[in-house]
Every structure is written in structure tokens, then in C-alpha cells.
Amino acid sequence: MHTIEQLNDGRAVYLNGQRINVADVPIFRKTLALNNQYYALQRTHQDVHTYIEDGQRYDIAFKVPLTSADLKQKHRAYQEIAESNNGLLGRTPDFLNSAMAALAVRSHFLGHNEYTNFAANAKHYAEHVKTEDIFISHALQNPQLDRQKAINAIPSGYAGVHVTKRTMEGITVSGAKMVNTMAPIADDLLIFNPPELLLEKGDTSYAVAFATPLNTPGVKIICRKLLDHPVYTGYTEDDFPLSNALDEIDAYIVFDEAFIPWERVFVDNDVEMSNRFFMDSGMFIHSSHQDEVRGITKLEFATTLAIRTAKLLGLDGFLGVQEKLGRLTANLELIKGTIARSEEEGRLDDFGIYTPNQQALQAVRSTLPEYYEEALKVAQHLAAGSMVGVPGFKEFNGDNGPILEQALGTSKATAKERAKFLNLVFDLTTAGFGQRQLMYEYYHGGDPMRIRSQHYAGEDLRAGNEMIDRIMKS
Amino acid sequence: MHTIEQLNDGRAVYLNGQRINVADVPIFRKTLALNNQYYALQRTHQDVHTYIEDGQRYDIAFKVPLTSADLKQKHRAYQEIAESNNGLLGRTPDFLNSAMAALAVRSHFLGHNEYTNFAANAKHYAEHVKTEDIFISHALQNPQLDRQKAINAIPSGYAGVHVTKRTMEGITVSGAKMVNTMAPIADDLLIFNPPELLLEKGDTSYAVAFATPLNTPGVKIICRKLLDHPVYTGYTEDDFPLSNALDEIDAYIVFDEAFIPWERVFVDNDVEMSNRFFMDSGMFIHSSHQDEVRGITKLEFATTLAIRTAKLLGLDGFLGVQEKLGRLTANLELIKGTIARSEEEGRLDDFGIYTPNQQALQAVRSTLPEYYEEALKVAQHLAAGSMVGVPGFKEFNGDNGPILEQALGTSKATAKERAKFLNLVFDLTTAGFGQRQLMYEYYHGGDPMRIRSQHYAGEDLRAGNEMIDRIMKS
Amino acid sequence: MHTIEQLNDGRAVYLNGQRINVADVPIFRKTLALNNQYYALQRTHQDVHTYIEDGQRYDIAFKVPLTSADLKQKHRAYQEIAESNNGLLGRTPDFLNSAMAALAVRSHFLGHNEYTNFAANAKHYAEHVKTEDIFISHALQNPQLDRQKAINAIPSGYAGVHVTKRTMEGITVSGAKMVNTMAPIADDLLIFNPPELLLEKGDTSYAVAFATPLNTPGVKIICRKLLDHPVYTGYTEDDFPLSNALDEIDAYIVFDEAFIPWERVFVDNDVEMSNRFFMDSGMFIHSSHQDEVRGITKLEFATTLAIRTAKLLGLDGFLGVQEKLGRLTANLELIKGTIARSEEEGRLDDFGIYTPNQQALQAVRSTLPEYYEEALKVAQHLAAGSMVGVPGFKEFNGDNGPILEQALGTSKATAKERAKFLNLVFDLTTAGFGQRQLMYEYYHGGDPMRIRSQHYAGEDLRAGNEMIDRIMKS
Amino acid sequence: MHTIEQLNDGRAVYLNGQRINVADVPIFRKTLALNNQYYALQRTHQDVHTYIEDGQRYDIAFKVPLTSADLKQKHRAYQEIAESNNGLLGRTPDFLNSAMAALAVRSHFLGHNEYTNFAANAKHYAEHVKTEDIFISHALQNPQLDRQKAINAIPSGYAGVHVTKRTMEGITVSGAKMVNTMAPIADDLLIFNPPELLLEKGDTSYAVAFATPLNTPGVKIICRKLLDHPVYTGYTEDDFPLSNALDEIDAYIVFDEAFIPWERVFVDNDVEMSNRFFMDSGMFIHSSHQDEVRGITKLEFATTLAIRTAKLLGLDGFLGVQEKLGRLTANLELIKGTIARSEEEGRLDDFGIYTPNQQALQAVRSTLPEYYEEALKVAQHLAAGSMVGVPGFKEFNGDNGPILEQALGTSKATAKERAKFLNLVFDLTTAGFGQRQLMYEYYHGGDPMRIRSQHYAGEDLRAGNEMIDRIMKS
């Protein structure tokens, strides 16, 4: 856990062409404070958020789950963290910490090369993260330059991160990763390749996985345009209750001959191992569990918002509106039930880790974004004209304040409450902030289309096949 | 459990203008045999399908659930019964038997009138059904003549079932009910009004609930057109693997001055009690559990059929097809998870019955029909041209047999296997049989639109509301 | 124009394993009568349906369109023919006759080989069809055995039609075509390959196009299972107003060493020419025009049916129902408008034929099936329970007749009218007949997915591109 | 046509609590310049944009259409104006000017009261607008405070605009209108009530229609929050190519005892006339024509953007992507065709005005927003991760410029071109600007649900009904 000032540690963060101090950017400050709820809850809800191992107390995310009950306890903790940010911070520390728990146990397959033992490096790193409870951020997606070409066939050298030098001490890397979240306020950066778009044979120099502090020389964090409305715009959190309160940030990460010592390297020069890293380490499935639990909270937030919009505007008496709202709550039930099933129908893996049911989790992962979008759409259409026209909140303090207070107050809300609520709906459904959150929800866990294309192959359809076989044989 | 001949007991069953003997209709004979799997499984899987109470062994459906584990045991039994008919018989005995379990415990609210004690009647009837293990069929929907008028405002007297005479011995009823399933082969008929389209004040004579044997004088069972292809058409179960194997039947039930003794009357002359009957007796929620468990099996059947269609026709290598199939298996996971949740997050009602979570069950009830339709659509479109052109199966025995065997065989299936499989797909997705099954799935449990319009009001959204309140107050 | 008896001309038609006389099959008799409206209208609406060329009067479908007005006149004629069968006969003679008009003018590209002049053959054949006004049926789809293999890689020899011998007199062909419509009652059969799934280099023996009378020795017409309910079932056209009135039939066509003289061969042994045949001859675009004009009628039929269902059942006062009906009429407007545009914004091709706008026509072709399905769905869901339970019509003449007349009559319709109307809705939306019509609509003109995948490339987006370029340059 | 400085005419425009000069707000300045293309095109494309009447030259929008050709000429002019702003300015002067043409001819029905002749006032006003070619803006929607109550039942007096005093000179009005566009830069404001949510009997004081200059004392224009990113944010039009280029503005209009002389009053104290005003004046249908023609341009802009996104990112080789793009171009064809039909199948109204076909126009109006949304969604999902992460454009001029130029350039575009294009996609699909444009498209012409609920009743379904009647009678 850091104060924002501690993040002025030499890291190279860029914003619209300027290298900046993280502490100088208000939205980074606020986001860090929100993210730190992860640490705060360890103190205030110790029973839920921590556990003891060998006499030491750790965050519950690091616990290696051995039973369904363990997963359910972790669920509770993840949920409380998510509720502190309305499910809108997708990458709080518990996300990758849950992955570290698996990596520590399963790292053996990573093997070694002539310079170092990758398996041991990974295990030690996972333990380091746990002991220090540091905040790691990861970047896996390679920049999408031409999806019809192999990475190594793109000449710029920026279609991924690749090794340019290899010495006794470590590797030197250059290149880029697309869309990292939270890097400006994290401690370490974890780099690997996605399991979805597999590297090809010729991509060996890109076949690398490692971790490194964010202030490593040669690492550049180039942020996208911010989506908040800072003080000088005249707008406050009353105007933009979400976009002025937090930003996950999406940074383009550049490596410019950055040196990584062997002890932080987990894969090198090995396409097969690079392609296996995320799945076979157990990092994927265990972090997915955290991720989808968080997703419930975001979905519940949007669902409730839609229902309250209908009530505020007196639209909840219409049968057609009720039906739409009932769809949303039914969707929420389907998600909650399926995550519960992933916890109850898990399995012990070869290392004795109780692992959530992947078919259930992936069903959620591919479906939740559509349900979330449906909730946004309902709220957006209910609020449409009312929401779009809300004036700046300072108007209530100006000449027109008394008029607006009288004109826009109803039996359900004062004019200011109505305005702030509609601003909240705007921010989540219509503002760039909210639509980026929607895109994030769709793609942060891989393309839903590809998840589906693999899902049917893994489904247990014995009962269905037996019924069909019986008919075929009759 | 009956043989088909025992059903020639004087009951008035009509088919296309003829009064018929049930035993003479081949599809009734086959459907009864399928339905009787309910009884057979009590013998062959005694541990799953029966339980002992006061030294007597009963079907598990009659067990009053006291714990989540009880619901899960009943789930297993319901599922095995459903699998014996591919989920295509919606009203096997376990459906209403699960309702009888609740009614026996909760009948007190029904009270009494000057002639009889309705509460005691209901309790005794439920016990009678259990002890004798008879097969009851129910009819609740009133004929849809003009949805914008009250029932008593429709002059014909056939917009529902109403009392025409009331004596010391019992009531005499006339009128009609729309869409009863299975009546020709059941023992008793249970009549009450739906909770969805409430009776209005003036409808008192229609405010009635009772049970009666199907051979009661004055009861007419007017079947819809059958959807099978009997022997004289030249087609067999190879041609129509489903529609030639079973028919739930949809009968229009007419009462023509039928006498019902008081001991079988549960509501009379009481609009409020008629409107409460299905819900407050617990019959609705407990039969819903059976119903949705059966629904899983039907959904799994259709889902598997779609996947096998893709494989048979060599279409499963296309990414777009894979995505569609993955949607189906994700849907199946969502349904399975949510039913599990309804069992695990139930509650003890005021009478100590462990009651499934209604929000979860209703989420399934409103969503499953759409998922089922999606599975049918995928299979239908994959099979389209191949399925539509399949010749009669006797063609394989005619002059063209050798040609067809050679022409239509593939590495995946012989020509006959291919033809029979495509016939199965046709029957479930495209034939009148299959489309009626689809409509059944949508409406047998009430209009999904109305289920949704009530769902959002019952949802526990405390976490969502707290998040919004926190923002509104900040 | 034929009487049904004339069709007993030696053609080999098979039904469920029996070789039959066409005249003995009631549904073939009725379908032929409907199809013959094409000929009847030439007499009764001579001004609309015929034109004079070189002093001879021909059906208007054969007219080579030179102007937009020509297309509009043909539109009127196609529409009247379609209205005579509710748009449910997709392959009345005007369909391919419109194609013959183009072929006669554009056949030159077909060239010749050492035995014959393909171009001349095609031109003469088109003139022969026009002069004799014979009814031709076509088969292009190859049996879908394994979509991931080339046709010649499927060993059975039935993955298409291929040449087995080539002499001075002509070719001998064997193999099969999937899903031909109307063959049992047509005069000639036209065989070619689809432009959609192109033949590959090795498929030369399959690269063939020709015409032949249906009673050619070696040609077998193996019909799929019929979908009607003949007299012996006890059901009439009151019970099944559509499926007992017509059947387009889908036949599997087998060639068993059938001899085709050179004068009827248009392509032989030429993969490129086979792949070009349908498009470059103009047959595709001109028959598409007829086809989509017919589609309007079918869509209007289904749309009107949905609206009348709502009115009959008193459901048209609900806002939600009104919205659904309004979607259907809006869809109908969109289709009508776009076909009009295809006629008004056509172009003169290199041969001076006024050719409908292909982008507009293909927009309709890919969209109309979804609109048609939407209309079916609305009608099906509105009628659901009411429609499914309708008893056989003979019930009105039996003991229960008076009861049913009283019970089911409303202010909007007598009981019999209501029953017949609901039977009509069942037949179009729910019966195998109606669902097959739906599949036909989707696939008879090629897979909508493939149509779309080509559509965007052909669209004139100059205005859109100019706007974007202006922004990019600013 | 005005310069921005001329708009500093005393009008009371408020922005976030400050009364401002219009000329001081950069986005107003830019928007006015764009809007003035309407005037510029009269000079540069005189033949398309003007016509001569009684020796005077006027903008073509004012021409009373007498033939289909007139509508087509107006179409061309509307389209050129729309293309100058990518279809994103919904209320350029031609919109209401087309309505003035109808009003001038059809005003008679408005009648008179004891003080004034409403019919004459309307006619004179329409002529005044035409002669002076002033820019009028309108406000019809009443603030949505409680949709289940009548306007006069909402006590604040701000649920609409109502008359508070009536003298020989004119009326005094107070109250509010929701969501006016363009008021800050227009000349006059036209106030009336929507035809959709009819006033009720008790609403007489709200039953008013009038026009007034925007600098009328007592008129306040309270703007919503602006959505641009002005200079001090560091972002330019390269970063936000649309939201930094224009803003239609949505203002809340308050009347605080504003005086309107009788000569500008068109309806007063007359609920029936207020409810009829928009439709019976012909203003609705003629302005709809302009509006939907503009809609084509916006749809074509979004459609082309989606296609170019696929090409830029190398995604257009995937079949699934091609299918999505083909849907978009098919949609565009359907819209273009249907608008053409509205022009060709219009009718002469009782006053001899050639009036576009309303069924065709309303089909477009209810459908186009969904098609537009579909285009946005395709572009948004294709660009998703690439678009979200684009850094500020100044980054290209900073330390990282050379790296970014190399890293993000592809064979299809330089890094800067790629960034700017992705920014354009972000602005239209994801930014608050773009999503507000989407909501505008849905609701600016009335709720699509209500348009549909009326559409089916107006559809000419004679052909459909005749087919069904023929079957019913057979």
C-alpha cells in the first residue's frame, strides 16, 4: 500500500506528450485511494480479508484454495472490494494475487534454461508478492496492427515485447504492449503473452514472460487521454459522479532496451511455454474467479441503476418497462447462480488446488458483458431526454438556481438529487467513461467470440448424448 | 400405474368428432408407456426415487423437503424421469405430486364454508394421491376469448368453469378450460384458476377449485388434432423419431353439469381464495422446481442435438458455427447454475418446508424458453437443406435403396444413420410436434412477459442500492 | 400448361419407396392447379401478363427488360402470380422464365468445345422455353456431405452431378443434386452449379450445366416426405388450410447414367465456366427480381396474418402488441421500398438489358427472411395457446358441435371461423409445412451470411468516404 | 445568416451557472459556421439550393412541393447540407423551413379568437421566415417529471409552457420546455406541444403555440454541460475530431413571464388545436422528410466508418466481420429505398401539396435509429482495444513521438492517421458526444415505440387481407 507521493519513484509516465508526476494528477490520486480499499479492508474486516499461514497473516487472495468453502470465502472478500468501487475497478490487487496463489504451487512446468531456473523464479516471485503484498499490474495484449499477420512479420518491432540481448545477468527487452490498466499506480508490471492469439513458430524472440518494477529504466507508460473533468473545467463529482471519481487508465507500455534480471524472468525464447504460461500456471482460472465475482457487482450496480431510473421518472408503472427491468434481474440471477456453481462444482487439480469449474466461469465470462450492456441500454433509454439535458451543477448556485429547484423537483426527488442521479446514469451509460467501461467488460478477459468457440468442446453433455443415442438405436 | 386398457373406464375422450377408446390410439399407448417410467423408476432406482415415512415407502416427489439436500435428491429423481422422455413430457406424475407435498402441509388457509371444510379436503386429497400414487392432470388456463373483458362478462359461460348448482352433497359445474395436457391418460383432473390473470369481483361463480376422476359424468376431453403419423401413412419412428413416439396432447376440457362432491372441493364462491390457491398452497413453487429441472434436460437434449448436427455435416470447423454452439453450452451452464442456486439458497417457509429460491427459479422460467429456442434455431439452420429433403425411410428398402446408401453415407455416418438423425432434428426443430413443444415451453408456466414484470420487484438489490446511495450522498 | 394426367409421361417419381404416378397424389394435383395460375393469368389479365414480339404473344416474364418501366410491368405480373398462391410457391414458371430472357441475350460467353457450341445451345434453349412456354425446374445445390472437402474428394460420386462418358452425340451423367423444388410437376430440369460454393480445380467432371426433360431415362426424382394430411387422416383444408392445399416438394434428384444430347449442354468440363454460369448469364439477377417480388407477397401475407390474429383474440389494444405489429408493417415498407429502388436505379448492362440494382436486391434477399421470421414469431406467440388446442374440424359435426359453437364463438368470429383462422396461423407458423417454408425462404437464394459477406464490398459509399476523408484531412 | 457576434443580441444564455456571450464559446462559434453551410450552399450550388417564385429567389426548402420531382430536388439539397456536417446537425435551418412551406398553405384550420386571427398569424410568420431566411429553432417536448400524471397536475408550473396573462396586446407565458437544440445560435424560437403525448382537457393554459425571437425578455436558455474539450485541456480536433468540431446543444428553455404579441401566437387556450397543430399544419410530415434524408447521411457516415475500421485494422478478411459489414450496407440500402418510395408514392393533399408517403417515412423513422446503433456497435467492437488506448495527439510531438510513429504505423496508415481515425471512431461510437447523438437519433422524432404502435393501423394491407379472406372463404 502506497501513498500517491511514493509513486513518484522515477517511473516514466506520459500524458498527452508530457512526462508527469503521478501525484500531480487528481484522478490518479483518487483512483489510488479507491484501490487502497484492498489494503484497508484487511484491517477493518480482518476475518473476511485475511488468513494465517505459518503464523503469518496474509490477504485472503493469496490463499491457495483447497475446498469449495475456501473459494466462497475468497468470493466474499473479492465482493467487498468490488463493492467499494462499484465493480468499476477491474484490476484491484486481489485480481493478480489470486493468480499468484496458483503460480506459487504450479510453476514447476516452466523448467529452466542454461542461465536460470524459470520455475523457481516464478515461485519466488509469487511469494515475494504475497509477503510484501505489492500491487502488480499486467500487460498481455500485443498491439493490434494487422491481425492477419504473425507478430514477427510486422517489421517495426512493436507488435509485442521481444528480447534484444541475453547475458549472464538477464535479458534486455524492447517493444510494446497495448492496453495496460493501472500501471501508473501499481508497483510491478507483469508481462506475458495471451493464450488466445497464440504465438507462431517464428515468434521466439517474443516468447517471453517476466516481472519488473514500474520504475525500471527503459519502461515507458504512455497513458491514453483521460476521461475526467478536472477542476478547471468547472465541473465536479456532482456533474460526473463516476468519471470524476476514478479512472482505470489504459496505458500503452513501451520497452526501450529495458533490462530484466534472470530472477524475474519466467519464460524466455520458448514459444510453447509462452503460449502455455497463463493457462498452465493456473493464473488464468483463479484470476477469472476474482474477475467474474467483481463482474457481479458491476452488473448489480447497473441493474439497480436502471430500476431506480424507472422509479425516479415515474416509468415503472408501464408493463413494457417492467418487463425490461425483470429481464435485468433475471440476468443477474443467472450470473450469480452460475458463479456459485463454479465454486461448488470445482475440482482438485493435480497439485491439490481446488479449482473453480471452468465451464461455468467461461459461461459467465462470455455472457456477462451482454447482460451488462443490456442493463446500460435500459437505463440509457429510460433516462434519454431527461439525462441528456442536465445543466452544469453550478447552475443551482447561479441566478437560475431557485427556478431549477422548483421546476425540476418532483415527489420522488429534489431537483438536485434528480440532476445528480441523472448525471450518474449519464456517466455509466453514455459518457466516454461508461462506454469504455463497457468495452473493457467485453474484452478484458479475451474476445467473447473465441471464448464461445472453445466452450462447447469442453461441455459435459453425456446426458444429452445418451438420450440421442437411445433414440438413434431404437 | 395403469395399463392402457384400464383407461377405458368410461371417460369421454373425443378425437376429430369421434368418441374413442384411449387404448385404440397408438400414440396414447406409447405416451402412457413413457409416462409410466415414473412408476418403473421407483422399482429400478428405489434409492433415488423413493423414501420411507412412517414405515411406508412413497415416491420421492411426495416428500416434504426440509433441507437443501432434500431438494437435491428430488432434483436427481426428477432428472432421471425427464431423461427417460428427453424432457419432452412436461407433466409426468412427479410434477403435481411435488405440489401435493406442499398442499398437504399448507392447506389450512383454505378455510371452510357452511357445507364443508376446504382445508381438510385439500389435505386429505393430497394424502390420497400420495397413498394411491395416482396420476393427476390439471387445467387452469381459461379459454382466451377476449383478453380485454372479465370472465363473467363473456356471455357463453365457457370462459372458465363455474358453479351452476350447490347442494348439501356438492357442487355442479359447467364451462371449459383451455389446453390441458395428458388428461386422456391420467386418473384425476385438478381444476383451479391461474394466479396470473386474476379473477375479478364479479367472477365469484368461477372462483372454484376441485379434483375429480376423469370418468366423471359430464366431463368431456376434446383432444386437439394429433401430430403423429400412424401406420397407415407409411411412416415409422425412423421417419418421425419424436412425433411418432409421444404426444402430451392438449385437450379442451368441457364440463357439462358435472357433479363434484364437497370432499373434493377446495375453493368455492370465493374470488380471493381462488386467486390465492396456486401460490399460497405452495403448489406453484414446488411444482416449478420439478418443472425447471425437467427443463434442463430438454435444453440439454436440444443443445446436444445442435452440436451433433454440426459434427455430422462437417460444419464444426467454422469459427462462426463454433461461436453459436458455444453460446448454447454457455446458456446451459447458466440454467444449471441458477437451478442449483434455487436449491442452495432456499428458505424454510412458515410451515418448515424448505422452499426453493423463487427469484432464481423464475429467472430460469422466463429465460429457459428463449435459450431452448436458440438451440432449436441453431440446429434448424445447420441442418436446413439437408434435413428438409430427407425421403421416407421406406426408400431405403425400395429400388433406390442401394443408391441412397452409397450416395448419402459419409465418413461420419451411414446413410440411414444420417437420415434418421436429420429426421430427429426435423421433428424437434421444424415439425409441428417440435414447434408445439416450443410454444409449450414458453407458456406452460405463465407468460414470460408477466413473470418478468414481477421479477424485478422481488429481487434483493441491497448491495446495488447501497452503492448508489453512497454515490448520491458523497 | 399441363393437366396432371399429362405428367404421367414416364418420369420416375418416388415417394417413400414407391414409384408413383404424379396424378395419383392429391397434393401434386392441387399444386399443379395453383402453379397453372401462371398460364391462366395470361388469358385473364392479358394486358399485364403478356407482350407481343415479332407479332407473337408471349408471357411477360420472357420479355427482355429495356427500361425501368419494363421491370415495373414484370413486377406487377409476378406479384399477381404470387398473390394467387400467397407467395408460397417459390418456383412458378415466371421465376426461371425471367432468367431465360437474360440467357438468350447473354449466352455468348459460354463459348464452345470440339463437339458443340454451348453459347448457341443456351440461346436456342431459352428460345425454346419461351416459344413453348414450358415449365422448367432447376437444381443447383450439391448434397452437403462434408462441407470441408472438395466435391471430387468425396468418393461416392454423389456429391454433385458429373460426366461419366462423352461421345459425339452428347454426355452421360451420374450423381445427385439436393433439394429440387417442383420437379414432379415440371417439364424440364435445368442443372448447373451454385455461384456460392465454387467448384475447385479438380472438380472438372462436375463442371457441367444442361437441361433435360424430366422423363429422361436415368433421372430419378426422390421426393421428401409429404407434409399434407390426406383424406384418410380425417383432416381437411379446414384443418390445414395451407399444408393441405399445396406443396412445393423438395426432391433429391439422382442421375444414373442419363444421356444428355449436346444441344442441351451449356457447360462441360470447365470449372471456370461452371462457376460463372449463373451470374454471368444474367440468370441470377433477373430471376432474383422475380423472386424478391414474390417475397413481398409472402411477407405481406404473414404480416397481415399477425395483425388479424391480434384483432381476433382481442390483443390489439395492448401497447406492447401494437409495437410488435408496427415493427412488422415497418419491415414491409422497407422491403417494398428497396425493391422499388432496385427497379428505379437499375442499369443497362453491356447487352442493353435493363438490369435491376443488385445491391438493393441483395439487401432484400439477405433481410427478408429475418423479417418473415419475425412476422411468423409474432403471430405464433399471439396465437400460442389458442392455436395449439384447436380440435379437428369434424368435431363441429359431432356430438360436441353445438357446445363448441357456443363456447368458442366471440363477437369477432364464429367458432368455426375462429378455428379455421387459428388453423391457418398454425399451418404457417408452427406446422412442419410453415417451418419448411421458413427454411426455404432463408436458403433458396443462397446463404444470407454469404450474401452479406459480399454485399459491403459492392456498396457505393462515395459520400461516406468523402465525409471521412474531409475529417482526416482537416 | 449571422456572424457569431451578431448573436450577442441580449439573449440570456447560461452555461454551468454563468450567463455567457455566445461568441465567447468556441464550440458555438464552430457550430454556427457549420450551420451556415445552409446559407453558403445557396450561393455555391444555386441550382440545387434555390428556386424562384414571383421573381424572387428563395432557399429550396421553402418551396411548396407539387410533384414527386419537387421532393427529389429538395432531397438533393437536404442531402448536401447534411453531408457538410456528416448528418450530425439535426436541426439546420432547412428542417423547419420545409415545415414553414406547408404551414403557409395549410394554416387555415387554426381559426381565430376574439383578439387575433391565428390562421393569418401563422401564414404571415411562415412568409416572414421565408423572406428573411431566418433560422428558427423549436421546442416541443415538455419536461418529463412524472409520466403518469397530466401536465396541469404537476404543481410547479414547469411541466410545460403556459399562459399566465392575456391582454389586447398578447399573452404572457411562463414555464419550461425540455431539450431544445441549437437555441443559442438560432434567431427565433418556435414553441408548441408534441402530437405524441396529447394534452388533456384540464391542460388549457398549456395549450399554446407561438414564435418569438430568442432575445425576448424572460426567455432563458440554460445549456446542458458541453461535451467538447477546449484549448485549455490540451486536446485538439485531432484528438476529438467530432466533439471538438460541433455541438447541437440541448438547452432547457425557461419562460419567466415572457410577453408574446398576438401576431406571433398560433394557438391559445385550445387543447384540441394544440394537439392538432404539428400534424394538421403539415409541418410534421414535411419536416420529417428533411429529417430522414439527413438521417441517411448520418447512417452512411457511420456505416462507412465501420467498414474503414475493419480495413485499417486488417479485420476485413474474416468471414464473420464481413457478414457484419454486409448487414450494415444492406440496412443502408433498405433506408435509401424506403425514402425514395416515400417520395415516389406520395399524394396530393387537399391543398395540392405533394406530400411524402407517411407510412414509408415512419418506417424509416422507427427503424433508422436501430440501424444507426448497429453501425456504431460494429465499429466500436472492431476498434475496441485499439481505440480505447490512443494517447493524446501531443504525444507525437513529445519525447515518444518517434517511437510512436514507428510503433503504430502500418502498411495501411501512418501512426498519426491511425490515431486520428481511431479518435474519430471513439468520438462517434464511445464518447459522450457520440452516445448523445445516438439518443438524439432515437428520440428527436418521437419515441420509436409509439411510432410503431400507430404504424400498423395505417398500413395498406389490402393484398394481404384478400389472400386471407380467400382462404377463409374456401
Side-chain angles (χ1 to χ4, degrees), chain B residues 113-407:
Chain B
N113 72 359
E114 55 189 302
Y115 302 105
T116 195
N117 185 325
F118 298 125
N121 294 346
K123 187 175 178 59
H124 294 153
Y125 183 67
E127 280 159 8
H128 161 70
V129 173
K130 170 176 160 184
T131 311
E132 306 296 325
D133 206 359
I134 63 173
F135 174 25
I136 46 176
S137 167
H138 76 312
L140 69 171
Q141 298 301 335
N142 296 309
Q144 182 172 325
L145 295 167
D146 187 339
R147 284 285 282 276
Q148 289 165 326
K149 285 187 184 158
I151 286 182
N152 69 83
I154 294 177
S156 70
Y158 288 98
V161 171
H162 55 103
V163 176
T164 61
K165 206 162 66 180
R166 193 172 283 112
T167 67
M168 290 295 293
E169 285 69 38
I171 57 176
T172 304
V173 292
S174 281
K177 286 283 182 180
M178 170 170 100
V179 187
N180 159 284
T181 58
M182 298 291 250
I185 61 173
D187 299 311
D188 267 20
L189 186 59
L190 177 62
I191 297 290
F192 56 90
N193 285 301
E196 198 179 57
L197 295 164
L198 298 179
L199 293 189
E200 300 179 15
K201 268 196 180 174
D203 296 331
T204 47
S205 70
Y206 290 83
V208 69
F210 59 85
T212 192
L214 275 152
N215 63 353
T216 301
V219 174
K220 290 156 176 281
I221 305 158
I222 304 176
C223 302
R224 66 146 154 72
K225 297 180 284 291
L226 295 183
L227 298 169
D228 68 337
H229 306 260
V231 173
Y232 57 78
T233 63
Y235 298 118
T236 68
E237 285 192 40
D238 286 330
D239 293 298
F240 295 100
L242 299 174
S243 56
N244 269 2
L246 70 105
D247 190 334
E248 292 186 295
I249 313 151
D250 303 289
Y252 181 73
I253 304 289
V254 171
F255 289 86
D256 185 7
E257 297 292 310
F259 171 74
I260 315 294
W262 282 119
E263 64 175 15
R264 287 291 184 260
V265 181
F266 316 131
V267 173
D268 175 40
N269 208 30
D270 188 336
V271 167
E272 187 209 336
M273 215 47 91
S274 170
N275 285 341
R276 289 173 58 189
F277 181 73
F278 199 27
M279 303 306 285
D280 288 7
S281 63
M283 290 173 63
F284 171 76
I285 184 73
H286 288 279
S287 62
S288 285
H289 179 235
Q290 185 277 354
D291 196 13
E292 300 310 322
V293 169
R294 175 207 53 80
I296 300 174
T297 294
K298 188 168 173 179
L299 182 63
E300 181 158 350
F301 182 59
T303 298
T304 312
L305 203 69
I307 291 170
R308 286 175 66 155
T309 303
K311 289 182 177 167
L312 179 77
L313 301 176
L315 298 165
D316 56 329
F318 296 104
L319 186 62
V321 172
Q322 291 171 350
E323 186 195 359
K324 287 193 178 82
L325 300 178
R327 250 182 202 285
L328 301 186
T329 51
N331 291 345
L332 184 60
E333 286 289 326
L334 291 163
I335 294 298
K336 286 185 172 179
T338 310
I339 289 182
R341 181 168 144 95
S342 81
E343 295 160 358
E344 277 140 24
E345 307 213 355
R347 63 178 176 84
L348 287 179
D349 73 9
D350 296 345
F351 295 81
I353 311 179
Y354 187 84
T355 304
N357 184 301
Q358 179 158 320
Q359 287 296 107
L361 270 192
Q362 293 290 71
V364 169
R365 183 159 261 195
S366 61
T367 306
L368 193 146
E370 294 183 0
Y371 286 176
Y372 179 66
E373 181 162 22
E374 194 175 343
L376 294 192
K377 279 288 143 198
V378 171
Q380 187 183 40
H381 279 268
L382 290 174
S386 303
M387 158 182 84
V388 156
V390 176
F393 227 79
K394 291 210 163 68
E395 207 72 48
F396 286 109
N397 303 326
D399 297 351
N400 302 315
I403 290 176
L404 292 176
E405 302 249 16
Q406 187 186 341

Side-chain angles (χ1 to χ4, degrees), chain A residues 325-345:
Chain A
L325 300 178
R327 251 183 200 286
L328 303 187
T329 51
N331 291 346
L332 184 60
E333 286 289 326
L334 291 162
I335 294 299
K336 286 185 172 178
T338 309
I339 290 182
R341 183 169 144 94
S342 81
E343 295 160 359
E344 276 139 24
E345 308 212 353

